[in-house]
Amino acid sequence: MGPVPSPSSDRLPVLGLLALAAAGFLTILTEALPAGLLFQMSADLAVSEAMAGQLITAYALGSLLAAVPLTAVTRGWRRRGLLMSAVGGFLLVNAVTALSSSYLLTLAARFVAGVFAGLVWALLAGYAARMAPDRLQGRAIALAMIGTPLALTIGIPAGALIGGLIGWRWVFLATSGLSILLIGWIAWRVPDFAGESEAKRGSLVAVASLPGLKSVLAAMFGFVLAHNILYTYIAPILERAGLGERVDATLLLFGAAAIVGIAFVGVRIDAHLRTLTLGSMGLFLVAAVMAAAFGQTAWAVLLAVALWGLAFGGAASLFQTASARIAGEAADVAQSMIVTVWNLAIAGGGLLGGLMLQQGGAASLPWSCVLLLGTVGLVAWKGRCGFAPAVGGKKPQGV
């Protein structure tokens, strides 16, 4: 392994953090590829499009169920070997997905892929924080999170394009190949750290009871729930504004704005965590109000999508930085709770949004988000200790 800057350095270990970002890219790419390849996969596996869509549900379910218990079991394991094992899991499950002709086997492989994803996401923020000097930990986490918007804006469209040219199975095989390269990258540039010693491990209940963590989890749940209500049902929302044929371009606009958002947050997160969190929620609220009040006006909806993307881009970094600061050495356990709550919000967005779409139509979706974001904005405003900035160049203790 090449030399890796120590956390006491004044510089971020960029290549190592980008390896973590690539791991995040891989998990999002694996999760969402069936959405871009839905028609091909449903035809090849001889199932309906709705059943093919459950390949994404199975993935989210694996992450939801496995993140907390698997992280708890592996708390004492050395970190780099654990991360490499999780990435190696994607090598196997994506190969099974590519080669399987059975829907049930493919569904099972997707569930196991979600298990590995839950472990990867539980590791990333804490790992990034340990690789950086205290005063730059938020920036390190933001850099490690850049893989998510890149996967959504570049990875999924590219996968859909390549799948249309050479077939969906080759896309999943290529993803397995990326896993091999990433394992080598991690071995080369990511430092190894010891797991938590048994003497220092607090119980899951003790970690969950840390001051501020509940407010972070509650604020994040509401924020991500609102996001998924809109994102899952973006097509009918755009249809009201006469943009039904421009879903792809609109999502590209959202992704591009999200990249700008995460870049803006990444530079300022260490000193302005609370301000950025409240600003992100406020910006999303403005976007939801615009989409609700002017939902039949194309330019207003597009502007709302751009503001929404700006607000969402840095959200994962903000919530994960807050939880990592609160939890300290138990950051991986706190991150597993983040993963669990995040996936609950994904599932809840699909369910709640579907019910509202049936009862009140597409116009009801943005209004529900206005109410939701206003409520969780108050939670974040009151939860001061949950979103405290780094103090004196060091992460706050016991906040």
Side-chain angles (χ1 to χ4, degrees):
M1 185 183 74
V4 179
S6 71
S8 61
S9 167
D10 287 334
R11 299 175 61 186
L12 289 177
V14 174
L15 287 177
L17 292 170
L18 288 177
L20 300 184
F25 179 93
L26 179 64
T27 62
I28 296 296
L29 183 66
T30 300
E31 177 179 26
L33 268 177
L37 302 168
L38 190 69
F39 296 143
Q40 295 180 50
M41 295 184 75
S42 65
D44 207 5
L45 295 171
V47 296
S48 68
E49 293 164 13
M51 291 296 288
Q54 301 314 304
L55 296 174
I56 297 177
T57 303
Y59 188 101
L61 188 61
S63 295
L64 173 66
L65 295 178
V68 171
L70 194 56
T71 301
V73 168
T74 58
R75 288 171 77 177
W77 294 23
R78 295 198 67 85
R79 301 290 91 182
R80 187 171 62 189
L82 182 58
L83 179 60
M84 292 171 69
S85 297
V87 173
F90 283 103
L91 166 64
L92 297 176
V93 293
N94 282 329
V96 170
T97 301
L99 299 174
S100 171
S101 59
S102 164
Y103 173 74
L104 291 179
L105 177 59
T106 305
L107 194 67
R110 294 286 300 171
F111 177 86
V112 177
V115 171
F116 288 121
L119 182 56
V120 168
W121 282 119
L123 288 170
L124 288 186
Y127 217 133
R130 293 176 75 173
M131 288 170 62
D134 286 342
R135 66 182 184 84
L136 296 177
Q137 286 181 345
R139 190 175 301 182
I141 292 173
L143 184 56
M145 293 298 110
I146 195 68
T148 297
L150 289 178
L152 294 174
T153 56
I154 298 174
I156 304 305
L161 176 62
I162 295 170
L165 295 174
I166 63 176
W168 70 269
R169 296 183 184 276
W170 288 103
V171 177
F172 278 95
L173 282 176
T175 306
S176 287
L178 289 177
S179 301
I180 298 174
L181 296 176
L182 181 53
I183 290 171
W185 189 356
I186 293 170
W188 175 47
R189 294 306 301 176
V190 176
D192 194 14
F193 296 113
E196 284 185 74
S197 65
E198 191 169 353
K200 292 184 177 181
R201 293 180 208 170
S203 68
L204 292 176
V205 173
V207 176
S209 300
L210 289 171
L213 186 57
K214 289 188 179 68
S215 65
V216 171
L217 293 174
M220 186 195 72
F221 178 78
F223 188 97
V224 179
L225 180 63
H227 164 75
N228 279 281
I229 287 173
L230 296 182
Y231 197 88
T232 304
Y233 300 101
I234 188 66
I237 291 173
L238 294 178
E239 187 70 34
R240 291 188 68 231
L243 297 168
E245 301 298 321
R246 307 298 302 177
V247 174
D248 51 353
T250 303
L251 291 180
L252 182 61
L253 171 65
F254 172 87
I259 292 175
V260 174
I262 198 171
F264 181 87
V265 165
V267 174
R268 298 162 178 83
I269 189 171
D270 291 290
H272 304 288
L273 176 62
R274 174 176 165 78
T275 301
L276 288 170
T277 302
L278 294 174
S280 180
M281 290 187 164
L283 192 61
F284 192 1
L285 178 60
V286 170
V289 170
M290 287 189 64
F294 305 102
Q296 293 179 301
T297 305
W299 69 264
V301 171
L302 290 174
L303 179 57
V305 168
L307 295 177
W308 167 29
L310 284 172
F312 184 77
S317 300
L318 293 166
F319 293 121
Q320 295 200 60
T321 298
S323 66
R325 286 180 180 172
I326 291 167
E329 292 186 357
D332 292 346
V333 178
Q335 296 308 308
S336 71
M337 297 175 185
I338 289 280
V339 173
T340 299
V341 173
W342 191 285
N343 280 280
L344 274 173
I346 290 175
L351 177 61
L352 183 60
L355 291 174
M356 288 189 295
L357 187 64
Q358 285 185 332
Q359 298 298 320
S364 67
L365 300 177
W367 283 118
S368 69
C369 294
V370 170
L371 178 61
L372 190 58
L373 290 165
T375 302
V376 297
L378 291 176
V379 171
W381 177 266
K382 294 183 65 176
R384 290 181 178 274
C385 64
F387 297 98
V391 179
K394 298 180 179 180
K395 61 185 178 185
Q397 301 294 322
V399 295

